[in-house]
């Protein structure tokens, strides 16, 4: 008599792994969504206004720095994971999305440097006019200015390309690819053109949703050139 061996399915562990990956890659954009929602100043504020508002809300400024630190350590790895998936199924577009978005998110510390300096100056009791001049000098410092420009252009263009690449590669359905692709242009609108902190946070929440869906999805088409 021959014994029959029933294979053990790995569906449950695989689902747990995908859900865990979805949570991990969503942490970065979720952190920035929280930052944008609680930021005590506006993106278009002057250095003097920025310092005054941070000095008046130092607890919030501290929370912004901790959330930004969490995003610094999670955005790039999460984007690499998704970019590699995109490149594996839509080679040229996915690779471009990977390179541009990772370069963009890598510039985040240049943005955060201004918040760190403002909060430190406020905690040290630096006079407002001196702090404003310091922040102006920091913002204009070439490496900070370059890092800021790379961040602004890279993360917006990169996420747009990433959403399109994930859709074209069959990793995301069209509606989910659109949500991811449109999320960062919406962030630009609500951060700079028509400032609205709540809607800005929601734009980053769309990025987090797109990241999570891309991480847990099962590709529907074979890899393409």
């Amino acid at each position: 008599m021959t014994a029959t061996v029933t294979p053990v399915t790995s569906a449950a562990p695989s689902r747990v792994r995908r859900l865990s990956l979805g949570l991990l890659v969503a942490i970065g954009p979720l952190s920035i969504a929280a930052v944008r929602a609680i930021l005590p100043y506006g993106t278009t504020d002057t250095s003097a206004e920025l310092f005054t508002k941070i000095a008046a809300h130092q607890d919030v400024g501290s929370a912004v720095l901790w959330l930004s630190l969490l995003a610094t350590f999670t955005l790039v790895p999460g984007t690499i994971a998704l970019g590699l998936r995109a490149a594996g199924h839509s080679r040229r577009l996915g690779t471009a999305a990977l390179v541009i978005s990772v370069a963009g998110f890598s510039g985040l510390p240049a943005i955060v440097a201004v918040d760190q300096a403002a909060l430190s100056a406020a905690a040290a009791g630096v006079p407002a006019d001196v702090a404003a001049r310091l922040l102006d000098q920091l913002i204009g410092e070439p490496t900070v200015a370059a890092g800021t420009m790379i961040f602004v252009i890279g993360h917006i263009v990169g996420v747009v390309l990433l959403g399109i690449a994930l859709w074209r590669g069959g990793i995301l359905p069209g509606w989910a690819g659109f949500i991811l692709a449109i999320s960062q242009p919406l962030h630009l609108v609500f951060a700079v053109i028509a400032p609205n902190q709540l809607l800005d946070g929601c734009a980053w929440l769309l990025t987090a949703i797109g990241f999570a869906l891309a991480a847990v999805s099962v590709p529907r088409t074979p890899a393409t050139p």
Side-chain angles (χ1 to χ4, degrees):
M1 181 176 179
T2 303
T4 302
V5 179
T6 302
V8 179
T9 178
S10 61
S14 176
R15 179 175 299 176
V16 170
R17 286 194 296 270
R18 287 191 290 112
L19 291 176
S20 298
L21 180 59
L23 176 61
L24 287 173
V25 300
I27 288 175
L30 281 175
S31 300
I32 300 299
V35 166
R36 300 305 303 180
I38 69 172
L39 200 65
Y41 61 87
T43 303
T44 57
D45 283 352
T46 65
S47 294
E49 292 170 332
L50 183 154
F51 175 74
T52 299
K53 293 175 181 179
I54 285 185
H57 302 89
Q58 294 185 39
D59 289 343
V60 177
S62 180
V64 165
L65 291 185
W66 282 109
L67 287 167
S68 299
L69 183 65
L70 179 60
T72 298
F73 287 117
T74 54
L75 266 175
V76 170
T79 305
I80 289 173
L82 297 187
L84 289 175
R85 291 201 80 189
H89 294 267
S90 181
R91 188 177 63 192
R92 294 185 181 89
L93 186 58
T95 300
L98 170 62
V99 172
I100 295 172
S101 58
V102 168
F105 285 131
S106 295
L108 180 60
I111 301 290
V112 179
V114 177
D115 295 88
Q116 292 169 329
L119 185 61
S120 297
V126 175
D129 60 331
V130 176
R133 291 200 303 272
L134 172 64
L135 293 179
D136 282 335
Q137 181 65 33
L138 177 61
I139 292 170
E141 203 283 322
T143 58
V144 173
T148 299
M149 185 62 67
I150 291 170
F151 173 80
V152 171
I153 296 175
H155 85 280
I156 293 175
V157 174
V159 171
V160 170
L161 294 178
L162 188 59
I164 297 172
L166 289 167
W167 162 63
R168 289 190 62 183
I171 297 169
L172 285 178
W175 64 268
F178 176 77
I179 283 177
L180 181 55
I182 199 65
S183 63
Q184 287 308 301
L186 286 176
H187 154 61
L188 176 63
V189 170
F190 296 127
V192 179
I193 301 173
N196 186 305
Q197 283 188 267
L198 179 59
L199 293 180
D200 192 6
C202 289
W204 275 94
L205 182 60
L206 291 180
T207 303
I209 291 171
F211 270 39
L213 290 174
V216 303
S217 67
V218 177
R220 299 180 305 282
T221 59
T224 59

